[in-house]
Amino acid sequence: MVPSANGRSTESQADTKTIVSEPLYFPSNDHDIFGWLHRPAAQHPANIGLVICKPFGYESLCAHRSLRVFAETAANLGMPALRFDYLGCGDSADMNPGADQIQQWVEDILAAVAELRRRTGVEQVCLLGVRLGALLATLAAARSGSVGGLILVAPVTIGKRYLRELRTARLAANLGTADQGGQDEGQSGADTSDSVEFSGYAMSPATMDALSKIDLTKTPGPAVADALILDRQDLPVAGSLFAALRDAGVSAQYLTLPGFVEMAMVAPQFARVPVAMTEAIRDWLSQRLGKRMAPVEQPLEASTPTAVDAPKRELKLPADSSEADGPCEYPVSIGSETPLFGIITLPAQKEMRRRGVILLNAGADYHMGPSRMYVSLARRWARSGYYVLRLDLAGLGDSNTRVGKPDDVTFP
């Protein structure tokens, strides 16, 4: 087992061009977050890059494969792509439970834009956001002069409506299980002094308050030239956002396409990459590559990476009161023919007992586990002296799929 320092070569199911994907950590304010940088194999990659903004919670778990395919699709066009985990999500550093996640995650997107430009030298960046990630991408685009285009997949446009959807789903899941003597936390008007879990993923009171005040159809439009909205065919809700963007002078395209439910609203072992949406994204990005982009408002800084500017490969975890040094974790690659990907969490250096735990995929959930449980367990057990590897089996999560085999097969 060796550190995954040189990335890996992957082949998209839809394209045979080889791309290089490398895991890395990069800073967002005073924390580090985890991401995958997908580099085109071409000698002269495009001058436009793509940053992918995940949806929230269970939808992010289900859509993991599709987001990876979106990134690989861009890289196969010659466009470097970065997908990443927000603070407190996936393999990124943990987050203060009471913090405003909306504010922090917009900062994370801006940090991802800066990191992609720094590492690849691209001048313009397109943001691709799914559901809540689309809302976050729109907010981030309004603050960045480096963002020239938006792709919004089934976007959340009105925060209050999204919160009602989350609460309704939570109440339906909890029918018959809530304490008969009290009110369910997800109900309107309930006490929100503590975070609320939606399908196992926590949202803080500050986040819910911030979301309740956001209506993208009534806020100033982002300063982007182009936008593509891919709305749900079964339940389209983004027509008003399309009109608002057009009124703001954005060259916007609006399509209703099938595939969102199968991508993000079914269990991961049943999730399917939305073919029509993927093709629409590929076509739109291809058009951007052939279009002369407007000059950027934020020139690329002199920190363009060189051969010695290697990606950060280790995440330092905070030490508790009894430790001089806290645990750390880093990505690893196992094998060569079909490399398996994992994240290993190491205890403090003084630990000599060499006890280990390997966490394998639960169904088709990728290596963070259900509700990010594996990340929490790994970091907790490392503080008790265990070496913990959370591993994706072949064809699952971020591991490669064996030749001739399908993705996300749970019981081959």
Side-chain angles (χ1 to χ4, degrees):
M1 182 168 61
V2 297
S4 183
N6 296 318
R8 64 156 191 261
S9 294
T10 64
E11 289 192 358
S12 169
Q13 295 287 343
D15 201 314
T16 58
K17 294 180 181 178
T18 301
I19 60 176
V20 177
S21 303
E22 55 182 334
L24 73 163
Y25 300 95
F26 60 92
S28 176
N29 292 332
D30 55 348
H31 297 86
D32 286 334
I33 55 181
F34 177 80
W36 278 95
L37 177 59
H38 301 266
R39 293 181 182 271
Q43 292 291 329
H44 302 287
N47 200 28
I48 309 170
L50 181 71
V51 168
I52 295 179
C53 309
K54 292 186 173 185
F56 170 71
Y58 190 68
E59 292 175 356
S60 179
L61 180 70
C62 299
H64 184 80
R65 171 69 59 181
S66 295
L67 300 184
R68 176 176 166 181
V69 169
F70 293 164
E72 292 172 347
T73 297
N76 280 324
L77 291 173
M79 180 182 294
L82 176 63
R83 57 186 172 98
F84 69 98
D85 296 326
Y86 307 117
L87 188 66
C89 301
D91 297 309
S92 291
D94 295 320
M95 186 176 184
N96 182 341
D100 180 350
Q101 292 154 293
I102 300 299
Q103 179 182 14
Q104 177 60 54
W105 293 347
V106 169
E107 294 290 338
D108 293 344
I109 294 172
L110 296 174
V113 169
E115 186 71 12
L116 180 63
R117 294 189 67 210
R118 193 177 75 85
R119 293 210 164 271
T120 65
V122 297
E123 292 186 359
Q124 280 281 6
V125 175
C126 294
L127 298 180
L128 189 162
V130 179
R131 284 282 275 168
L132 184 63
L135 178 145
L136 298 171
T138 305
L139 296 178
R143 294 177 49 187
S144 174
S146 301
V147 176
L150 286 172
I151 303 174
L152 309 177
V153 179
V156 171
T157 59
I158 301 174
K160 282 185 177 179
R161 183 166 62 195
Y162 178 62
L163 288 171
R164 284 198 300 269
E165 293 176 16
L166 293 177
R167 287 170 173 145
T168 299
R170 186 175 188 273
L171 286 171
N174 290 343
L175 281 176
T177 63
D179 183 0
Q180 297 298 319
Q183 185 182 32
D184 185 88
E185 283 182 307
Q187 295 183 33
S188 177
D191 180 13
T192 57
S193 57
D194 296 318
S195 295
V196 177
E197 282 194 2
F198 298 109
S199 300
Y201 297 84
M203 186 174 284
S204 71
T207 304
M208 291 185 285
D209 180 64
L211 259 179
S212 68
K213 299 173 182 176
I214 297 174
D215 184 344
L216 295 182
T217 66
K218 298 180 180 178
T219 57
V224 298
D226 304 285
L228 171 65
I229 299 177
L230 301 180
D231 210 350
R232 296 172 56 172
Q233 192 174 62
D234 62 310
L235 190 64
V237 296
S240 56
L241 176 58
F242 168 66
L245 290 175
R246 292 293 295 267
D247 291 344
V250 178
S251 176
Q253 183 179 357
Y254 177 81
L255 299 172
T256 57
L257 296 174
F260 174 76
V261 172
E262 294 79 4
M263 174 180 75
M265 302 190 76
V266 297
Q269 64 266 29
F270 302 121
R272 296 292 179 266
V273 176
V275 175
M277 288 186 171
T278 304
E279 291 176 349
I281 290 169
R282 180 190 293 112
D283 292 344
W284 191 86
L285 291 176
S286 297
Q287 293 173 17
R288 304 285 79 67
L289 290 172
K291 181 179 179 180
R292 184 177 179 84
M293 302 295 289
V296 297
E297 297 178 15
Q298 298 176 0
L300 189 64
E301 297 179 0
S303 57
T304 300
T306 64
V308 297
D309 185 23
K312 185 175 182 180
R313 299 295 182 186
E314 184 178 86
L315 177 66
K316 290 286 188 181
L317 301 172
D320 60 28
S321 57
S322 63
E323 297 175 325
D325 296 311
C328 69
E329 60 186 33
Y330 57 85
V332 294
S333 180
I334 302 173
S336 57
E337 183 177 351
T338 304
L340 305 182
F341 176 78
I343 298 282
I344 190 166
T345 309
L346 306 182
Q349 292 184 356
K350 64 181 180 181
E351 178 57 49
M352 300 298 293
R353 288 170 289 183
R354 305 301 186 193
R355 304 175 298 177
V357 177
I358 299 177
L359 297 171
L360 303 177
N361 303 91
D365 296 4
Y366 74 100
H367 58 268
M368 78 166 183
S371 305
R372 203 177 177 236
M373 181 188 300
Y374 283 4
V375 180
S376 300
L377 290 176
R379 294 174 182 179
R380 182 185 306 168
W381 290 346
R383 296 186 187 284
S384 298
Y386 287 87
Y387 295 73
V388 185
L389 171 66
R390 46 189 195 269
L391 179 69
D392 284 329
L393 300 175
L396 300 178
D398 289 304
S399 287
N400 282 359
T401 301
R402 291 190 174 93
V403 176
K405 301 294 183 180
D407 298 327
D408 295 326
V409 175
T410 311
F411 302 107

